[in-house]
Amino acid sequence: MQAVEEKRWYLVQCKPRQDLRALANLRQQHYECLLPMRQVERISQGTLQLRSEPLFPGYLFIELDTLQDNWMPIRSTRGVSQIVRFDSQPLPVPSTVIEGVRSHTAAVTRLFQSGDRVRISTSGSFGVEAIFEAKDGTERVILLLNLLQRESRVSVPVVHVQRLAHQS
């Protein structure tokens, strides 16, 4: 009689900002894990930089066999908080979700998109609204500014620009 394979994917909650530590420690114990990442544009030290960040911060997926794998070491693994449960049972993640996550090739999440409404704010200024047009290198952006019923293009340091919430 052949044993039925009971491998399924589960969701692991990580300790705050320890996703990568949990991933490394679980893989070191020979567990199959998945931590989907995405590229995000962020302002760091006055420049726009691409950073790799977890797609689901605070969580990773782990593949476990309900009959063969030892689940006990997972709880005490550095970086791991718990396996996500419903009532007292670990909640399996549908394989279609895992397939979707694996096939997902996300575009870079840009901090500013052309046409975004932004606010220029510097120390001592009252904050002028403008429209984001383009990046001008890594430290500056080009904005459309409406002054005296006339649109003007200005180049502004990226650290002085904040995106305004979308308004309907």
Side-chain angles (χ1 to χ4, degrees), residues 13-54:
Q13 183 180 16
C14 304
K15 291 181 179 173
R17 292 175 299 285
Q18 293 191 27
D19 309 34
L20 294 174
R21 171 183 268 178
L23 178 68
N25 288 322
L26 287 168
R27 283 184 173 165
Q28 191 173 13
Q29 296 173 62
H30 306 290
Y31 290 108
E32 179 69 27
C33 298
L34 176 63
L35 179 62
M37 303 293 278
R38 66 183 180 147
Q39 294 291 99
V40 178
E41 221 174 35
R42 296 274 186 228
I43 297 174
S44 179
Q45 299 176 350
T47 63
L48 282 172
Q49 297 179 355
L50 277 179
R51 295 261 169 96
S52 191
E53 294 182 354

Side-chain angles (χ1 to χ4, degrees), residues 2-168:
Q2 194 174 22
V4 177
E5 190 171 308
E6 292 289 327
K7 282 192 174 253
R8 297 178 109 182
W9 286 93
Y10 296 89
L11 193 60
V12 172
Q13 183 180 16
C14 304
K15 291 181 179 173
R17 292 175 299 285
Q18 293 191 27
D19 309 34
L20 294 174
R21 171 183 268 178
L23 178 68
N25 288 322
L26 287 168
R27 283 184 173 165
Q28 191 173 13
Q29 296 173 62
H30 306 290
Y31 290 108
E32 179 69 27
C33 298
L34 176 63
L35 179 62
M37 303 293 278
R38 66 183 180 147
Q39 294 291 99
V40 178
E41 221 174 35
R42 296 274 186 228
I43 297 174
S44 179
Q45 299 176 350
T47 63
L48 282 172
Q49 297 179 355
L50 277 179
R51 295 261 169 96
S52 191
E53 294 182 354
L55 186 58
F56 307 107
Y59 296 91
L60 61 82
F61 300 96
I62 187 169
E63 188 178 37
L64 297 168
D65 186 318
T66 55
L67 303 175
Q68 301 292 324
D69 287 329
N70 182 1
W71 294 44
M72 296 307 289
I74 297 170
R75 280 190 345 197
S76 60
T77 299
R78 292 183 75 182
V80 171
S81 179
Q82 64 182 339
I83 294 179
V84 175
R85 300 175 181 280
F86 184 72
D87 286 331
S88 61
Q89 296 299 312
L91 186 63
V93 176
S95 59
T96 54
V97 171
I98 300 300
E99 290 167 14
V101 167
R102 281 190 162 152
S103 67
H104 181 69
T105 54
V108 173
T109 303
R110 300 282 178 200
L111 188 58
F112 302 111
Q113 299 288 333
S114 182
D116 282 349
R117 291 177 36 149
V118 296
R119 180 181 311 271
I120 305 168
S121 57
T122 60
S123 59
S125 79
F126 52 89
V128 176
E129 288 190 22
I131 304 293
F132 177 82
E133 188 172 77
K135 291 193 310 185
D136 186 13
T138 59
E139 297 181 19
R140 300 183 73 81
V141 292
I142 298 172
L143 305 176
L144 289 175
L145 196 57
N146 192 346
L147 294 172
L148 303 172
Q149 305 300 320
R150 188 167 174 241
E151 281 191 346
S152 301
R153 281 186 176 77
V154 293
S155 180
V156 178
V158 70
V159 294
H160 297 305
V161 179
Q162 296 175 324
R163 186 172 56 191
L164 296 174
H166 293 286
Q167 297 177 351
S168 300

